[in-house]
Amino acid sequence: MGRVALVTGGSRGIGEAISKALKDDGYEVAATYAGNDEKAAAFTKATGIKTYKWDVSDYEACKAGIAEVEEELGPVEVLVNNAGITRDAMFHRMTPEQWREVIDTNLTGMFNMTHNVWGGMRDRKFGRVINISSVNGQKGQAGQANYSAAKAGDIGFTRALAQEGARAGITVNAICPGYIATEMVKAIDEKVLNERIIPQIPVGRLGEPEEIARTVVFLASDDAGFFSGSTLSPNGAQFFS
């Protein structure tokens, strides 16, 4: 049996591609989801990857969920923190609830998940933590003060934790995707997509979820053992940092 990989938000979008790619590479994969039971069931039926339902913003739910995964599959050796939400609004209209929901899921959720596997990784002297941030955490984006702040926080979290994990055999890296052809992005008005978004991307197209997934597979591998604290930016040359 291969190493156990846990992917949050792993049944849809980029997370779905990551889960599939890790399974294809020999990992025993568990995928979490927050609310769409129908999609999760269809994903499991199509892929054979078991899904687990919990809210990553809830620490105790993460603790219980990870315990269930480890009881069924074995210790989590690869954690992909992919779960995320948006609650977009211009800042003068943004509510405290919109701010809190995004920070709680996209940043605190990363703490909740990682904190509950970190001790085991330290004990085993091996671990891979891969955090999915965003180009908008690097450059900011109007209407996304909450999302950009959380995703920038993900990068800081990655860099600090990489230093703590280094001597314990744990690598921690971040991936900052640009605009990727997921259901959410493709649902944007075609005129906006073609006239305002794609022209910002020098390669002239959206990224594919599988391109992010292949990056995750590399960072999870033994070959990536000297990569830690890194930020990889698959964004079609939209932004350099």
Side-chain angles (χ1 to χ4, degrees), residues 97-109:
E97 183 179 26
Q98 288 173 315
W99 173 269
R100 186 170 54 251
E101 286 180 355
V102 171
I103 297 297
D104 286 353
T105 297
N106 297 10
L107 181 56
T108 304

Side-chain angles (χ1 to χ4, degrees), residues 11-224:
S11 65
R12 303 179 66 184
I14 292 173
E16 178 178 5
I18 292 169
S19 295
K20 290 178 178 178
L22 286 168
K23 183 185 178 186
D24 289 346
D25 204 51
Y27 291 85
E28 190 74 26
V29 180
T32 79
Y33 72 103
N36 193 324
D37 295 327
E38 183 178 350
K39 173 63 178 174
F43 167 80
T44 296
K45 183 178 180 180
T47 65
I49 297 170
K50 187 169 181 181
T51 53
Y52 298 80
K53 185 178 182 179
W54 74 75
D55 179 358
V56 299
S57 71
D58 182 334
Y59 185 88
E60 292 303 321
C62 293
K63 183 177 181 179
I66 290 168
E68 181 182 0
V69 170
E70 295 197 322
E71 182 178 354
E72 294 183 3
L73 301 180
V76 173
E77 296 175 286
V78 176
L79 172 64
V80 183
N81 285 308
N82 169 73
I85 62 172
T86 56
R87 297 290 185 267
D88 295 353
M90 296 303 287
F91 188 67
H92 64 286
R93 295 191 180 122
M94 185 173 288
T95 66
E97 183 179 26
Q98 288 173 315
W99 173 269
R100 186 170 54 251
E101 286 180 355
V102 171
I103 297 297
D104 286 353
T105 297
N106 297 10
L107 181 56
T108 304
M110 188 172 291
F111 168 84
N112 293 342
M113 289 296 302
T114 309
H115 197 255
N116 278 296
V117 300
W118 192 254
M121 289 180 174
R122 281 172 52 84
D123 290 344
R124 293 185 299 272
K125 301 300 181 186
F126 178 86
R128 297 284 188 265
V129 178
I130 302 162
N131 300 321
I132 308 301
S133 181
S134 168
V135 65
N136 290 341
Q138 295 173 301
K139 71 178 187 60
Q141 177 62 42
Q144 288 194 326
N146 49 5
Y147 184 82
S148 296
K151 291 299 186 178
D154 293 347
I155 297 170
F157 176 83
T158 297
R159 292 173 177 172
L161 206 57
Q163 296 177 59
E164 295 190 27
R167 294 192 179 276
I170 307 169
T171 66
V172 188
N173 292 288
I175 301 173
C176 293
Y179 285 91
I180 307 299
T182 60
E183 289 179 18
M184 181 176 69
V185 171
K186 289 191 283 189
I188 297 172
D189 180 85
E190 189 174 353
K191 183 178 175 69
V192 173
L193 197 61
N194 291 329
E195 295 184 9
R196 295 179 57 187
I197 294 177
I198 292 178
Q200 298 177 30
I201 306 171
V203 301
R205 65 172 177 88
L206 299 174
E208 294 295 332
E210 292 74 18
E211 293 177 295
I212 309 306
R214 288 193 292 270
T215 308
V216 170
V217 169
F218 169 69
L219 289 175
S221 71
D222 289 340
D223 290 339

